[in-house]
Amino acid sequence: MAFDLTLLPLYRIQGQESPSMPGLLALTPPRSAARGREQDRLLAYLLLAGNSTFTTTEYAQIAEDAAKTFYSTGGSITSALRAAGEFVNKTLLDRNMTTSSRGQYATGWLTLAAVRDAQCTLLMSGPMHIYRFGPGEPRHIFEPHVSGKGLGMSQAAPIHYAQVTLNPGECLLFCGKIPRGWEGALSDPTPTSMNALRRKLILQSSDDLNAVLVQPTEGSGSVKLLNGTDEPREEIPPEAAPPPAAASRPQKPESTAAPAHLVQPSAYAIPSQPQAASYSPAVDLSRPAGSREFPASIPRANASTPPFITETPPVPPEKSPEAITSEPKPAREPSRQARRVAKTPPGGIQASRRLSNALGERLRNFLPRLLPNSETGEPLAPSNTMMAFLAVLVPLIVVTIASVVYLRYGRSLQYETYLRQAQELRAQAVTMTEPVEQRKTWENVLLNVDIAESHRETSETITLRQEAESNLDALLGITRLQFQPAFSSNLGIEVSRMAASETDLFLLNAAKGEVLRAQLTSGRGFQLDTAFNCRPGVYGSYTVGPLVDILAMPTLNSINATLLGVDAGGNLLYCAPGQVAQAIPLPVPDTNWGRVTAFVLDAGNLYVLDAPARAVWVYNGRDGTFIDQPYFFFGGQTPEKQDVIDLVVSGDDLYLLHADGHLSTCSYSRLESVPTRCQDPTPLVNPFAAYQDVDLFGTAHFTQMLFAAPPDQSILLLDADSQGVMRFAPRTLDLENQFRPTTGSGNPIPPGPVGAVTVGPNYVMYLAVNGQVYLAAIP
């Protein structure tokens, strides 16, 4: 970690600058970070909009749990960022579904920045802005057509990725809504210090502010979150940085309690209103005498103002609310039936109180008359014990009756309301002809069905869900596959590569670099072959290291091997059931090996990828052996990038998958007068019109590439995070369709990224997820 990171919130509400900002976190890796997260620092900037109510603790907990999700997710940075974003989306969506009966919802705008060395990888959801100030033209990252309207509104989280390279002295600005007056400062290319930029932004606008400045400086890799009212220093010496286990935070004076926060729509546009518009506090926070006095509340914004997030200044002890509320953009006026449903619980409570009082009075007058006094014949007066018992029993009976009535009729009305809305949207969708509007309407149908089924699941909701999902799949080119587990129990390993034959499945254990063989048995699925030996070790005079890639061998080969593996040093390992593995090193290229990362077999020739050396070496095969010196595929043209992670070959065409998800292609020339030509990047083509406002490939996380054999030749790209496989036509790279698991209870695959994929010669697809392998037949 070459840089220290300093964060400074710009937070002003109703003319008052606040020292802290809700939803802002700056963290260094914990000791328990997952594999791949040990060097990643995380900045989280979360804004909430809507009209749902949150406590301060709940607001902070969402951001903290998102950070925990990031650090507990292994693999690539983008997969960890996506896991954190999807966690926030699911949290808000679940809450919206439970509060929708009261007409309340919340939307999350999120920016996550994962910093490793000088690379900053960004995740944006919602209309967030990121500005970079430094030498040259300022860079503005703003992609609302990809990042969408925010989190919590649908099951699919709208996410946009970006990446910037950090340099000492530069500044980044995270902001949700640009205040008036900032246009000139944001377009000024002149480099400036963090202190000067802060003063300029504060002085050039009188609006309320909600933004964060981030500045990298040379240091030891610490992260410091300043108080919003502090004056930042120009440089932060490394010795003053906090310990790496956690980011330092501003300390509040002991004489001042933590201020309460109020999340409201667009505090930048809140008009002044009388003091009577204040809200009632949810929790009374005690404050020591002598603390600063601030207004007890912020007036609520007009319904016409766009949703955004703000925070109240500290408040006096007698009016110190801890509730966080937010207000939506203008919503559709509730129907008359919805208003009747909303009045049901209060009316039921009032009726139960009246009934309780009436029953109690009647029972007190009636029960004493049941038993006469044995001596006088007069009714007995009720004892104090009986009266206490009745005081408890009668309200309990009334509440039970009211609860049963509400659960039977109140929830039924809510179910009917959302079911009717879903049916109305469905009627609109079937008459539409514009694919994008069709997609959005069917997505809204599913959202209303989700809420209806939270009250009750019926055959009507199941049928409506199936119709909506079927139409969405047709619009988006998705083919659903019914997967099933290949093994009766979890294998407990991380699988990085797989290869398959008609009857065998081979799994590469990423941690040990060894191969497991599973054999298909009748009626019992796949069973592990414990006698199969294909692992690192000494074989004759050759030492084989951990294997990095594997492939299934053709049936006929001179060594009678069923599997071929390779280590980073170019040593081949031939393996077969019931035989001792045989090691044969590949002839070393003229420039020596950098590090072998992948290989592929095509037409009997072996193509070996040496990514650090920016090379692909081609070995001519002889019955499965490769003893001749290789030739350099690119001829006199050496690729510029070292980030290739996978390759496939079809004849003279080479396809390379890069770490950031883009593809490059090369066509080998067999004529000396015509050089081998490459195209980088090679665009992927999406012919599905329903994706016009969505960057499908930009949001995908491609980690592996396969070539499907004839007769249905195609290139398959694994989108690990969505558990989907995209199928492209060779040469043109037009998207033909996507393979994804079925939805609902019929899908046995748990959430999580896919570690590896392969397709057998019998057109069976295998996905490795969380230590288990799932298989499905491709139609």
Side-chain angles (χ1 to χ4, degrees):
M1 299 181 184
F3 298 127
D4 290 343
L5 298 177
T6 303
L7 280 74
L8 178 63
L10 304 179
Y11 205 22
R12 182 169 66 199
I13 305 171
Q14 297 288 300
Q16 296 281 354
E17 292 189 24
S18 182
S20 62
M21 178 184 295
L24 178 62
L25 291 177
L27 302 171
T28 53
R31 293 183 178 179
S32 58
R35 183 178 181 183
R37 303 282 75 78
E38 302 90 339
Q39 301 298 321
D40 297 336
R41 290 168 288 174
L42 180 68
L43 313 181
Y45 178 38
L46 173 65
L47 308 177
L48 295 178
N51 64 345
S52 188
T53 303
F54 291 79
T55 65
T56 305
T57 303
E58 289 174 332
Y59 194 171
Q61 194 64 47
I62 295 176
E64 292 173 2
D65 288 347
K68 291 179 182 177
T69 302
F70 173 82
Y71 281 117
S72 62
T73 303
S76 66
I77 290 181
T78 53
S79 63
L81 289 173
R82 177 179 287 274
E86 289 179 341
F87 169 82
V88 176
N89 184 67
K90 184 179 184 302
T91 301
L92 295 178
L93 181 61
D94 291 346
R95 185 184 182 97
N96 288 340
M97 292 177 64
T98 59
T99 60
S100 60
S101 60
R102 303 191 296 272
Q104 297 179 353
Y105 77 96
T107 304
W109 299 5
L110 179 67
T111 295
L112 296 177
V115 181
R116 179 184 298 177
D117 297 327
Q119 290 297 320
C120 177
T121 304
L122 300 162
L123 176 146
M124 303 166 66
S125 185
M128 301 291 280
H129 298 261
I130 296 179
Y131 286 87
R132 173 183 165 189
F133 301 93
E137 291 293 328
R139 181 180 178 186
H140 181 202
I141 303 175
F142 180 58
E143 299 291 344
H145 61 286
V146 179
S147 58
K149 297 181 180 180
L151 302 171
M153 304 308 293
S154 66
Q155 292 180 335
I159 288 175
H160 172 65
Y161 295 107
Q163 193 172 64
V164 296
T165 301
L166 301 179
N167 296 301
E170 292 183 343
C171 273
L172 297 178
L173 174 71
F174 299 168
C175 187
K177 181 176 182 292
I178 305 301
R180 293 172 298 175
W182 276 18
E183 293 82 3
L186 297 179
S187 60
D188 185 3
T190 306
T192 184
S193 66
M194 188 181 195
N195 196 3
L197 183 58
R198 172 183 180 269
R199 287 196 299 267
K200 181 188 296 186
L201 295 176
I202 289 177
L203 294 176
Q204 288 193 357
S205 177
S206 59
D207 291 352
D208 288 338
L209 307 179
N210 191 312
V212 182
L213 284 173
V214 181
Q215 185 173 52
T217 56
E218 294 183 359
S220 59
S222 63
V223 179
K224 187 172 185 179
L225 177 59
L226 296 179
N227 190 306
T229 57
D230 287 346
E231 190 78 6
R233 302 185 217 177
E234 299 300 333
E235 293 185 1
I236 302 177
E239 58 271 14
S248 62
R249 295 182 174 273
Q251 300 296 322
K252 297 181 175 64
E254 294 183 359
S255 61
T256 304
H261 305 299
L262 176 66
V263 178
Q264 286 216 2
S266 189
Y268 300 119
I270 295 179
S272 58
Q273 296 184 11
Q275 185 67 20
S278 62
Y279 61 90
S280 301
V283 180
D284 186 17
L285 299 178
S286 60
R287 182 185 296 275
S291 59
R292 297 172 60 188
E293 296 292 329
F294 288 97
S297 65
I298 295 178
R300 303 181 69 83
N302 291 334
S304 60
T305 57
F308 209 70
I309 318 313
T310 60
E311 174 194 3
T312 57
V315 296
E318 64 274 10
K319 294 183 180 181
S320 177
E322 191 179 347
I324 301 178
T325 60
S326 58
E327 231 171 302
K329 55 186 177 184
R332 184 178 64 182
E333 189 70 23
S335 64
R336 181 177 301 174
Q337 183 174 1
R339 289 196 294 268
R340 286 200 302 268
V341 171
K343 294 179 181 178
T344 300
I349 294 174
Q350 294 177 3
S352 67
R353 289 177 178 173
R354 291 194 297 268
L355 181 60
S356 175
N357 293 334
L359 286 177
E361 183 64 28
R362 292 176 182 271
L363 286 173
R364 281 194 295 271
N365 295 331
F366 173 71
L367 288 179
R369 297 185 175 91
L370 291 178
L371 297 175
N373 190 312
S374 60
E375 297 180 358
T376 64
E378 295 296 328
L380 290 173
S383 65
N384 292 335
T385 302
M386 180 178 292
M387 294 300 294
F389 173 72
L390 292 177
V392 175
L393 178 62
V394 172
L396 183 61
I397 294 175
V398 172
V399 170
T400 302
I401 295 174
S403 300
V404 171
V405 171
Y406 170 71
L407 291 175
R408 181 168 182 177
Y409 299 103
R411 289 176 64 90
S412 178
L413 286 174
Q414 295 172 16
Y415 161 81
E416 294 291 344
T417 299
Y418 287 104
L419 177 61
R420 185 174 62 255
Q421 292 180 3
Q423 291 170 338
E424 291 173 355
L425 290 168
R426 180 258 176 203
Q428 297 175 18
V430 296
T431 62
M432 292 178 175
T433 58
E434 207 282 319
V436 173
E437 294 302 321
Q438 278 185 302
R439 189 202 81 221
K440 292 180 179 179
T441 306
W442 284 117
E443 288 174 346
N444 286 329
V445 171
L446 284 179
L447 180 60
N448 280 274
V449 169
D450 287 339
I451 300 175
E453 288 186 337
S454 68
H455 301 291
R456 190 172 66 193
E457 182 177 334
T458 64
S459 59
E460 288 181 291
T461 61
I462 293 174
T463 302
L464 195 54
R465 175 184 295 280
Q466 291 174 346
E467 182 183 8
E469 290 177 343
S470 175
N471 282 278
L472 273 175
D473 289 347
L475 287 169
L476 303 178
I478 296 176
T479 301
R480 299 288 176 180
L481 302 182
Q482 181 59 60
F483 284 89
Q484 60 184 0
F487 300 95
S488 59
S489 61
N490 194 289
L491 299 177
I493 63 171
E494 180 183 352
V495 180
S496 59
R497 291 282 182 173
M498 292 191 293
S501 64
E502 292 282 355
T503 58
D504 292 347
L505 176 64
F506 300 98
L507 315 173
L508 179 58
N509 185 334
K512 297 182 178 180
E514 66 179 11
V515 180
L516 304 181
R517 173 181 177 257
Q519 190 173 15
L520 184 62
T521 59
S522 58
R524 293 188 299 169
F526 281 90
Q527 298 292 322
L528 287 178
D529 179 4
T530 57
F532 185 73
N533 182 8
C534 190
R535 58 174 62 102
V538 178
Y539 297 89
S541 57
Y542 303 113
T543 300
V544 178
L547 302 180
V548 296
D549 201 359
I550 58 175
L551 56 83
M553 289 289 287
T555 305
L556 299 177
N557 59 83
S558 60
I559 304 183
N560 294 324
T562 58
L563 181 80
L564 180 63
V566 66
D567 67 4
N571 296 301
L572 299 180
L573 189 62
Y574 294 83
C575 306
Q579 298 182 15
V580 177
Q582 183 176 351
I584 301 178
L586 286 169
V588 179
D590 296 336
T591 58
N592 213 332
W593 291 116
R595 184 178 187 275
V596 174
T597 53
F599 69 162
V600 65
L601 194 63
D602 181 73
N605 297 329
L606 191 67
Y607 295 75
V608 181
L609 171 64
D610 186 347
R614 298 178 295 174
V616 172
W617 298 101
V618 185
Y619 291 85
N620 293 320
R622 297 182 181 180
D623 294 331
T625 61
F626 311 94
I627 58 176
D628 296 333
Q629 282 295 121
Y631 63 87
F632 189 58
F633 182 90
F634 303 107
Q637 180 181 3
T638 302
E640 297 180 357
K641 299 178 180 178
Q642 298 176 308
D643 63 344
V644 178
I645 59 175
D646 208 354
L647 78 165
V648 295
V649 178
S650 175
D652 290 334
D653 295 329
L654 171 67
Y655 302 84
L656 301 172
L657 174 62
H658 297 257
D660 61 359
H662 85 269
L663 263 67
S664 59
T665 57
C666 300
S667 294
Y668 181 74
S669 175
R670 300 182 181 276
L671 302 176
E672 294 184 0
S673 58
V674 180
T676 296
R677 301 187 183 277
C678 295
Q679 182 181 4
D680 185 12
T682 300
L684 301 175
V685 181
N686 187 351
F688 294 94
Y691 281 115
Q692 286 180 359
D693 62 335
V694 177
D695 185 3
L696 174 65
F697 306 134
T699 57
H701 178 209
F702 296 132
T703 58
Q704 193 175 341
M705 183 164 52
L706 302 173
F707 189 81
D712 188 17
Q713 288 188 343
S714 57
I715 294 174
L716 305 179
L717 283 175
L718 170 64
D719 181 6
D721 292 346
S722 70
Q723 297 183 346
V725 176
M726 298 188 192
R727 179 169 166 265
F728 295 86
R731 291 186 174 271
T732 62
L733 292 181
D734 287 352
L735 177 65
E736 296 183 340
N737 68 311
Q738 304 177 60
F739 297 114
R740 294 196 180 185
T742 54
T743 59
S745 58
N747 178 23
I749 304 180
V754 178
V757 62
T758 193
V759 176
N762 52 354
Y763 290 94
V764 174
M765 179 178 290
Y766 301 87
L767 298 179
V769 183
N770 294 337
Q772 176 64 282
V773 178
Y774 303 87
L775 59 93
I778 298 177

